[in-house]
Structures are given as C-alpha cells and as structure tokens.
Amino acid sequence: AAAQTLALTEYKLTLKAAPPLLVNWRNFAYTDGSVLANASEGQPGIGAAVYIPSWPARQRQSTTIPISCIHNNDPVDLSCFNTISRAELSAIHVAVEEGHKTLCAATDTINIATDSLGSMHAISKAINRPQDVQEHRHRHLLESIAKQIEATPAVVHIWKVKSHIGIVGNELADAAAVSVAAGETLDCHCYNEQSNNRSEMYWPHVVEVIEEPNATNGTVTARTQYRPVSDLTDALKATAHAIKKLGRANLDGIYASSWRSMHANIAHQYSHMFLTSTTVTHQTRKLMLQYRWGILPTRRWLHKCNLAPDKQCPLCGEEDGGHHALSSCGNVSTAVTTRHNDAGTEIVEAILKGDKGGDMILSDVGIRRRRAAAELPDTLQMCRYIRDADLPGYIPRAASTAVSQYTGSVPDAFLVTNEGGKNSYYIVEVKHCRDTDYAQQETRAHEQHTRLKE
C-alpha cells in the first residue's frame, strides 16, 4: 500500500497543472424555464427562475429568483404564448436586469448560463437581424431583451450549458422553475412583458365554431371565433392541407368526378393497398397511378402531347388508351388471363385456409397453377365441370343433378354449406374492372350467377 501511495504521488507530480477557469462558476446567473405538458386546473403550467450562487470572497449570498411569466392577455389560445421559449427568454431577461446588482460590480461583465440554444439564437437574431423576428411569437420579448443588453454598460455574455447533467446552478434554477409552473411557489417575480399577438400584421387564422350550452333554458348557442395559427411552418401546413390539399386541380374533370362519385362505394383499404405494399415495385406503383388518373403513356396520351403520330394501338390498330392497354387489346389477352388466374388463385387459397375451406367443391380458377404446385403431369386433364360425385350428400337430388349437368361458364369457386339443416350456396367469381366503373362487370357476374342458379 505504501508503494502504491508513493507511485501515485510521483505520478501526480508529473501531471501538468490544470488550466485556469475562463470564468469563475460563481460569477454566473443560471437561468431555466419550465412548461408542464399536463397542467391541472389551478396550476400556472409555466414558470422560470434565475439562480445566482454565493461567493464568499465577494461577501455575496446565493439568490434564487422564481419568476411568474404566464401570459394572460390572449382570450383565444394561451398555449400559443405560454411556451418553453417564453419561459427561457423571461429568465434570461430577468438575469440581465439582475446582473447590474450582483454580477458586474467587480468584473464589469454579466455571465448568464442557459440550456436553451434556441433562445440564444433568437436573441442573437433580434440584435443582429431585427427584421427577421417580426413574425416571431415572442417578438416584443426579444426586442426588450435586445434593448436591455444594448443599454447595459457591462458586457453581457450568454453561455450554453448542458441540461440535467449535474451542473449545480442549472439544476437549482430548473427546480425553482418547475416549482413555479406547478403552483408550489407563490412569492414570485412577476414578469409581464408581452409576447406578440400579431395584431398589427396580417396573420392567418383558423375559423372555429364554439358551442356554448345555456344552463337556464337548455339551448346551445354557436359562436364563431378566429384562432391564429401558432406558426407559419408546420401549424399552417397542417391547417391548409385539410382545406387546400387539392390545390388548383380541376375538380370537374371526368377522373376527379368519377372518383368523387365512387368515394363512398370503394373499399379504400384494399383499393389503395398497392401504394404501401412491399410486394409491388416502384415502377408498377407508378404505372398504376398513371392509369388511375389517365396519364398512362399510351399512344392516345402521347398523341395528345404531340409525341406520337396517331392514337392507334401499335399491336392491334384500334384506338389506344389506358383501359385498352390493360384489358381490351386482343394481343394482351394472355396477360389478362394470367392476371385473372393469379388473383383468383390467391383468393381460392385464402378460402381453403379458412373455416370454409372444407365447403369448397369446385375451384376452377388457376387450376394449372395448382396442378403445377402439386407436380401433376400436364397430360392429366382435370374436369372443370361439377361432377355429381363431388357434391355433398345433403344436397337435394334434383339440385345435384342440375348442377352436375351444367355445362355453361363455370364459376371460379363454388362452396356448399349446411348449417342447421339449411343449405347455403356460395358462388365466387373474380372480375377485373376499374374502381370507378364496375357496373358492366357486375352485370356480367349477376347474369352468370342467374344462369347457374336456374
């Protein structure tokens, strides 16, 4: 142990002396502000404080100045004013005023420590570029601080310190500010400097209808008030988006009119799923959006933009267009059939995995895909018609005979259930159509189902 102590002593002798402090920590005014996110009734919800440590060499006692900085002059929305920025700036303003009395007597310097870098930037802007703070929510407060600093004969230094890392002055100022915000400290320095209600400038407002019940006669009176948006960035964007998100778009065009008329009938969760699906490529998503809004680069569209000599489809010679390119052109019939079979197979496989999987007696759609998955030879021709042997025994004989002898268009899937002695028949038919024009395909499906029922 003695050897370790000697070695430690020798090591300390080799170390260089610590550099002197730039500023004695006791010659600081530590400021902080606090705003309670969920202030209860009776609590101010906002508070600030300044802490000046003791300095025995200067015969100075420690001082804590709790500050009540709540803004009460706006009847519409006090939350726009009583922000953490107001609390931090209020504390700095009081620190500059108090610095004359306690800090600059010996050094002609006022050192203020704050953990709010935003307040420092705002004060710097108010001093160096006052024209840039004309729309600031706390413009009047910043102008007062700038004037106070300019009128102070001492040099004012505002230092940035980290918060909540154990700096004694900052922690004590924070505790005092929280106490004011919580309503626990009542004997406070009242800070009444106004922020900026923007009454002398044009400013966007939000129209609100306030319903006020009348306790005497039980009626409700509607009152309109105008609430200013809190800022010209996120708050204005959120407000304007709800009412102006379509911009100058033509709302009377065929596409906009069609989507608007079908808005209530579309299953939006599934109709727009391609926008967020991870299995859809960016190029496919782009083409889908172009098709929906009639700007798919078909020959018809390119001719309209003077980029093609005519409107005719280069594959079949008929007039080209979005719907023609995706489903009507005879040269893409194979792709249309593949798309139908793939979609139908996904639906059939989902049914087979559900509680009605055992009720399916026919699934014609995508039969080749399922045959390949089962590794069956291509020469094996599976019957695509409903055979009598496939039908459950509880189906009436007349019905089973009629179904087994049916040779018309077979549905994509056919289910039969028996619940409580009652037979239920489910016909599944997959149809591809435009979201805004499904009537034609729906009519075809109903006609097919009618023939099958007959």
Side-chain angles (χ1 to χ4, degrees):
Q4 291 179 352
T5 303
L6 179 61
L8 181 60
T9 303
E10 292 177 353
Y11 173 72
K12 289 182 177 180
L13 292 175
T14 62
L15 296 177
K16 296 181 180 180
L21 295 174
L22 294 176
V23 181
N24 192 319
W25 70 274
R26 296 182 181 276
N27 196 35
F28 271 89
Y30 297 87
T31 68
D32 205 355
S34 176
V35 172
L36 302 182
N38 298 307
S40 59
E41 187 176 357
Q43 291 181 327
I46 183 173
V50 177
Y51 173 76
I52 302 175
S54 62
W55 196 350
R58 303 291 184 185
Q59 290 82 42
R60 190 181 73 201
Q61 300 296 322
S62 62
T63 305
T64 301
I65 307 174
I67 305 169
S68 174
C69 57
I70 186 170
H71 192 289
N72 289 315
N73 291 347
D74 191 285
V76 177
D77 190 359
L78 293 177
S79 63
C80 293
F81 298 95
N82 295 324
T83 64
I84 187 63
S85 296
R86 176 175 173 81
E88 297 282 1
L89 292 172
S90 301
I92 294 175
H93 196 179
V94 173
V96 174
E97 295 175 346
E98 291 296 322
H100 289 290
K101 308 173 185 177
T102 56
L103 298 178
C104 66
T107 61
D108 292 330
T109 302
I110 300 175
N111 294 301
I112 299 173
T114 177
D115 58 13
S116 174
L117 186 61
S119 297
M120 295 174 62
H121 285 314
I123 294 172
S124 175
K125 187 180 292 185
I127 294 174
N128 299 313
R129 302 196 308 275
Q131 71 277 5
D132 291 348
V133 298
Q134 296 304 305
E135 297 176 355
H136 197 282
R137 170 53 73 186
H138 308 293
R139 188 193 83 187
H140 299 315
L141 200 159
L142 289 170
E143 290 175 347
S144 296
I145 295 175
K147 291 178 181 178
Q148 183 70 40
I149 292 175
E150 183 181 0
T152 301
V155 178
V156 178
H157 291 288
I158 302 179
W159 303 74
K160 171 68 172 70
V161 296
K162 293 184 178 181
S163 60
H164 306 298
I165 63 168
I167 298 177
V168 176
N170 180 260
E171 296 294 339
L172 292 176
D174 177 70
V178 172
S179 178
V180 175
E184 299 172 357
T185 302
L186 302 179
D187 186 12
C188 304
H189 174 89
C190 292
Y191 185 82
N192 297 319
E193 187 67 44
Q194 301 301 304
S195 284
N196 181 13
N197 60 9
R198 301 178 175 128
S199 59
E200 70 279 8
M201 65 175 64
Y202 293 103
W203 195 261
H205 284 61
V206 180
V207 180
E208 294 180 341
V209 178
I210 307 299
E211 295 184 350
E212 299 177 341
N214 191 323
T216 305
N217 53 22
T219 60
V220 177
T221 303
R223 177 174 59 87
T224 301
Q225 71 176 16
Y226 297 88
R227 177 177 60 84
V229 297
S230 57
D231 56 69
L232 295 181
T233 53
D234 293 339
L236 179 59
K237 186 184 298 183
T239 302
H241 180 73
I243 56 178
K244 294 294 184 181
K245 58 185 177 183
L246 296 178
R248 298 181 179 180
N250 181 13
L251 302 183
D252 298 325
I254 183 172
Y255 288 95
S257 301
S258 299
W259 281 109
R260 187 165 57 250
S261 63
M262 296 302 300
H263 184 273
N265 301 324
I266 295 175
H268 295 272
Q269 178 182 358
Y270 305 105
S271 182
H272 311 315
M273 188 175 290
F274 75 96
L275 290 171
T276 56
S277 174
T278 57
T279 61
V280 179
T281 64
H282 172 73
Q283 181 65 18
T284 302
R285 189 178 294 115
K286 174 185 174 182
L287 291 175
M288 281 296 300
L289 289 173
Q290 288 177 324
Y291 168 70
R292 280 190 164 190
W293 290 101
I295 56 175
L296 193 68
T298 61
R299 287 293 287 263
R300 179 180 179 180
W301 174 256
L302 294 176
H303 178 71
K304 182 179 180 180
C305 299
N306 295 322
L307 298 176
D310 52 50
K311 304 178 182 179
Q312 275 61 47
C313 172
L315 299 178
C316 66
E318 297 182 8
E319 184 175 343
D320 201 1
H323 193 58
H324 175 84
L326 291 185
S327 61
S328 299
C329 181
N331 290 276
V332 298
S333 58
T334 302
V336 173
T337 302
T338 302
R339 180 182 64 194
H340 173 271
N341 290 341
D342 288 345
T345 301
E346 294 289 343
I347 294 173
V348 167
E349 290 178 350
I351 295 175
L352 289 173
K353 294 177 182 179
D355 57 357
K356 293 188 179 298
D359 300 328
M360 185 177 295
I361 62 173
L362 169 70
S363 53
D364 177 68
V365 65
I367 193 170
R368 291 188 179 87
R369 170 174 161 178
R370 292 196 301 280
R371 182 171 57 194
E375 298 182 353
L376 296 176
D378 293 338
T379 56
L380 178 61
Q381 297 299 323
M382 302 177 68
C383 181
R384 67 190 302 269
Y385 297 104
I386 305 173
R387 296 174 298 182
D388 187 36
D390 295 330
L391 300 174
Y394 52 76
I395 296 182
R397 186 62 187 173
S400 62
T401 301
V403 172
S404 62
Q405 294 177 354
Y406 176 75
T407 59
S409 178
V410 178
D412 291 324
F414 187 64
L415 293 81
V416 181
T417 63
N418 183 272
E419 299 175 356
K422 180 182 179 181
N423 293 336
S424 299
Y425 305 91
Y426 296 91
I427 301 173
V428 179
E429 186 67 32
V430 180
K431 295 292 185 183
H432 285 272
C433 62
R434 288 172 286 188
D435 283 346
T436 56
D437 185 17
Y438 61 86
Q440 186 178 17
Q441 289 286 55
E442 186 180 33
T443 301
R444 290 180 180 177
H446 280 301
E447 291 176 353
Q448 181 181 355
H449 294 173
T450 301
R451 290 194 299 269
L452 185 60
K453 286 166 59 178
E454 294 174 349

